[in-house]
Amino acid sequence: MTLPGPQASQSRPAIDVTGITKSFGGKVVVNNLSLRVEQGEIYGFLGPNGSGKTTFIRMLCGLLKPDSGSGQCLGMDVIRDAALIKTRVGYMAQKFSLYGDLSVRENLDFMARVYGVPDRKAAVSHSIERMSLARYADQLAQTLSGGWKQRLALAASLIHGPELLLLDEPTAGVDPKARRDFWDEVHELAGQGLTALISTHYMDEAERCHRLAYIAYGDLLAKGTVEEVVAARGLTTWEVSGPELYELAHTLKTLPGVEQVAHFGNTLHVSGPDRALLAASLAPFHQGPQNFREVATSLEEVFISMMNDSLKGGKG
Amino acid sequence: MTIFSPRRFWAMVVKEFVQMRRDRVTFAMMIGIPLMQLILFGFAINSNPQNLPLAVLSNDDSEFSRTLVTAMQNSLYYRVTNVISHESEARKLLDRGEVLFVLTIPQDFGRLLARGDRPTVLVEADASDPTATGFALGSLDYLFSQSLNRDLLGPLLSLRAQPGPVDLRIHRLYNPEIQTKYNIVPGLMGVVLTMTMVIITALAITRERERGTMENLLCTPVRPFEVMIGKIVPYIVVGYIQMLLIIVAAKVIFEVPILGSLPLLLAVSILFIAANLAVGITFSTVAQNQLQAMQMAFFFFLPSILLSGFMFPFQGMPQWAQWLGSVLPLTHYLRIVRGIVLKGNGFADIAPELWPMAAFLLVMMVVAVKRYRQTVD
Ligand SMILES: Nc1ncnc2c1ncn2[C@@H]1O[C@H](COP(=O)(O)OP(=O)(O)O)[C@@H](O)[C@H]1O
Ligand SMILES: [Mg+2]
């Protein structure tokens, strides 16, 4: 279920970096990462906690200096033109980083001033309008709920009309309705030509992106559209339904060719990399009380599989 | 990319003002600290210490000398603790701090007095703490003439006339500058500004880092220098409010005469205020958290109080301490304030004290801007 991608890769990409590496105290946090994001694209950036997503995004907007690597962002050199890039990028940090002791309007006003937005008052009012923040305009930011804080942060990162949005786990801790609204907003912006790089670890959000990259413990493990990523992993998945699934799960886990067994509501998902081997292993169980049927592998299984591999690879 | 944009600077100023208004605790501290210090120091000044130890070295035992000693006792300022017979003893007692005063009555005092020769009475005082001895010494002249006048009857009546029956000599030891109580209140202005200005700004950038707002700020095009002076300017206003508070208190409550030009004082104070704010900003670029910033502020505050000439006379300090003291803005500011307020100094008199503060400010700003990290690692 790929979303219609952006108008074919015209001109230069919004982000094009190669070999970006960053270590903290000898520990490699982002390892030789290369990424290309086309203009107007919504690019998902996935990976478990502590895998270096925040670190990578911070390097893109000049908050951190890469140890090595190079590339460009909106046609400007990521290292040399960091100051210039800042004027054309909107960044939303993982942790709310606007001023809690300023009101919604004051926060937006501050950002508009700092960026030198022309006709500031109107821009702020428009932004409040657009994000439906009017009800909270004069409320202190620290008193807003998570979802509204996130809307304010999005409004702030958009106030100067950036060409590229870097959103770091924008929907963490936000209720489903607010998440839905948020993504609708992002898609509307992308429709107007804005590029967005969004980190998340919600699978359903990954599927709302045009393309995505998966990074685990510093290493980029896969990139492409959801279909491409799933296909590239080559997993086979069976869905099991019926009684006594808990007992069954323990048994299935030990079988050859079974890589993961996960509970999905009243069903089990069993997947493995070798189609024939998995089918052979499961065959004897078809006589049991449960129903077996092959289903499409989801992104989640792919990511878990990749994460397991990278953990086995001695990283962590 | 411009190095300095007035627009971005102003954005910082406006933001800081709004935040200042919302932060009641800090605001209360900014007004509370000057008031508290004024009360502490001010009432220490006014507390009018009594029963201070006095040694009497009397070489005369006429009725008149006894009158003098009794008068001093009765005034309640003095308490005779030692009666001595040798000069050397007097100095020893003073050195050891066992007495604060030594009264020396010369030989033939009574006879000389009766003859109208105005005999010399010497009072040596340990003036290292002028607030302790000031009142006691100030009362002596009046005390002596009043008490003796009662004894000067009949033919001696004529001696009551001015300039008084005795020639009172006061030797202030240990404090050649003769600090008076007036020294303290104007000095407090510098002390209060040092304390509050450094603390407030030391917290300024540290707070942004601790609350995570630095992450957002660093992603905007705002430059280090704009952040620095954007955070300094609002507090200059606060500094002036504190100054006015103290000036009013000095005039109204403590009746300190202001001899020099108030506008001149206000004008040159901006340099001192800015210098202290720059120290705070520098601390806040170094400190990891607000507690550390606070501690650094106190580490700066202590030598400022001790080595600037506020607590101890500057000339009386050892050479190394004087050198250290000369670096501190408070040292120069104290001379300026005391010069203007107490001596009526004009611009030419205080000019030599301005450039060390300006140099200090410049160095601090450079350090702060250099130390200000534009990244979050
Ligand atoms: N400033 C820093 N100093 C030291 N280690 C850091 C710093 N920032 C991040 N790390 C470490 O780098 C790793 C990746 O962190 P991060 O980029 O925040 O991951 P993610 O955003 O994917 O959860 C973590 O192990 C984290 O502890
Ligand atoms: Mg993160």
Side-chain angles (χ1 to χ4, degrees), chain B residues 229-298:
Chain B
I229 63 167
K231 281 180 178 288
I232 283 182
V233 166
Y235 294 108
I236 288 183
V237 176
V238 174
Y240 272 110
I241 294 175
Q242 294 187 329
M243 270 185 75
L244 289 175
L245 207 68
I246 297 175
I247 289 174
V248 169
K251 248 194 121 74
V252 176
I253 305 174
F254 299 104
E255 293 170 338
V256 176
I258 297 174
L259 300 181
S261 149
L262 211 50
L264 175 66
L265 178 62
L266 293 176
V268 297
S269 293
I270 196 165
L271 203 55
F272 175 68
I273 293 175
N276 281 303
L277 292 173
V279 174
I281 291 276
T282 306
F283 287 165
S284 79
T285 59
V286 180
Q288 294 297 320
N289 52 49
Q290 297 197 47
L291 182 67
Q292 270 183 21
M294 211 57 174
Q295 286 168 337
M296 288 184 193
F298 274 101

Side-chain angles (χ1 to χ4, degrees), chain A residues 22 58 61 63-64 83 86-87 91 93 95 97-99 101-102 106 110-111 113-116 140, chain B residues 7-8 10-12 15 18-19 22 208 211-213 215-221 223 374-377:
Chain A
K22 178 82 186 174
R58 281 174 164 175
C61 60
L63 281 175
L64 288 173
K86 284 178 186 175
T87 62
Y91 170 63
K95 181 174 169 280
S97 61
L98 292 170
Y99 297 97
D101 50 352
L102 296 191
E106 285 160 349
F110 170 69
M111 294 296 278
R113 269 186 213 269
V114 164
Y115 282 102
L140 297 191
Chain B
R7 165 177 55 73
R8 292 194 299 253
W10 190 243
M12 287 300 298
K15 171 187 90 77
V18 176
Q19 290 188 301
R22 302 254 156 86
E208 298 248 8
R211 292 186 184 170
T213 53
E215 176 122 8
N216 180 60
L217 196 60
L218 284 175
C219 255
T220 69
R223 313 289 295 181
Q374 281 196 279
T375 53
V376 291
D377 51 350

Side-chain angles (χ1 to χ4, degrees), chain A residues 49-50 52-55 94 168-169 199:
Chain A
N49 281 330
K53 303 184 296 292
T54 299
T55 306
Q94 181 170 349
D168 194 2
E169 294 196 28
S199 83

Side-chain angles (χ1 to χ4, degrees), chain B residues 25 46 49 63 66 85 104 121 129 164 181 207 214 220 228 239 253 257 269 303 351-352 367:
Chain B
V25 177
N46 273 353
E63 164 198 359
R66 282 193 298 275
S85 49
T104 308
V121 174
D129 183 1
K181 67 165 179 166
R207 192 183 294 138
M214 203 62 184
T220 69
M228 308 275 152
I253 305 174
S269 293
V367 173

